[in-house]
Amino acid sequence: VEWNQSTLFAWLNGEFAQNAFSEAELASLIEADGVKVTVPSAEEAKKYCEYDSWRTAEATEQAIKNGARVQNGKTWWWLLDKGEIASSNSYVYFNGTIRTDGLSVDYQSVAVRPMMWVSSSAETETEHLSRPEASEDVSEDASVYESASTEE
């Protein structure tokens, strides 16, 4: 299954976005490759969270309620990249290491750290950017926000 056809993609850009953000906040989300809410790639996780310890994620109450696997208060979270095993995706392990071997995309115990680009300008409705390359600097009017969640 391609990312833009996955149930996680549909949830993040549908129910999650509608419930997590006000109309004004939704308007400030910048479309990157036609997507407003995504999960980080392994490359982005390394770029924005340089050390394993920076990539650890505490499980929220909602994530635990929805079945996120927790070890020492930390949870696994999905990455955008396909895993090495068929029908799997890469993920970040409890200790912050990036695992490219992958877990089955049907595995329900992995949390989600949504990522989005947010414009600080009022002219967000007409802004359409492609996803910045990991080697590019992110402009001052775009920021990365994330949270651990597996809300349904």
Side-chain angles (χ1 to χ4, degrees):
V1 173
E2 294 301 316
W3 166 243
N4 63 353
Q5 298 170 342
S6 70
T7 56
L8 180 56
F9 173 88
W11 176 76
L12 282 171
N13 286 280
E15 183 181 339
F16 170 78
Q18 295 300 317
N19 292 326
F21 304 109
S22 68
E23 282 190 36
E25 289 168 332
L26 278 172
S28 72
L29 299 183
I30 299 170
E31 279 192 31
D33 296 331
V35 177
K36 286 193 173 193
V37 185
T38 189
V39 295
S41 66
E43 194 171 316
E44 289 166 328
K46 289 176 190 174
K47 179 180 179 180
Y48 300 115
C49 301
E50 185 177 352
Y51 304 104
D52 290 350
S53 62
W54 293 1
R55 288 188 293 269
T56 62
E58 291 188 29
T60 63
E61 286 182 35
Q62 188 67 43
I64 294 167
K65 177 183 162 193
N66 288 324
R69 190 165 181 181
V70 179
Q71 183 175 346
N72 297 326
K74 307 295 183 189
T75 190
W76 309 2
W77 50 279
W78 288 117
L79 293 171
L80 188 60
D81 312 278
K82 290 185 177 186
E84 296 166 4
I85 302 167
S87 297
S88 72
N89 254 56
S90 296
Y91 62 99
V92 175
Y93 195 59
F94 297 109
N95 62 5
T97 58
I98 292 175
R99 301 291 304 266
T100 58
D101 53 338
L103 287 171
S104 170
V105 294
D106 295 327
Y107 196 65
Q108 299 292 313
S109 298
V110 182
V112 177
R113 295 188 86 177
M115 183 177 89
M116 67 260 354
W117 299 100
V118 180
S119 174
S120 61
S121 73
E123 299 173 15
T124 58
E125 292 181 354
T126 59
E127 292 186 52
H128 297 282
L129 304 177
S130 58
R131 171 175 267 179
E133 296 299 321
S135 60
E136 293 179 18
D137 265 341
V138 177
S139 65
E140 290 181 24
D141 63 344
S143 303
V144 176
Y145 288 86
E146 56 187 35
S147 65
S149 171
T150 57
E151 297 176 280
E152 292 186 45

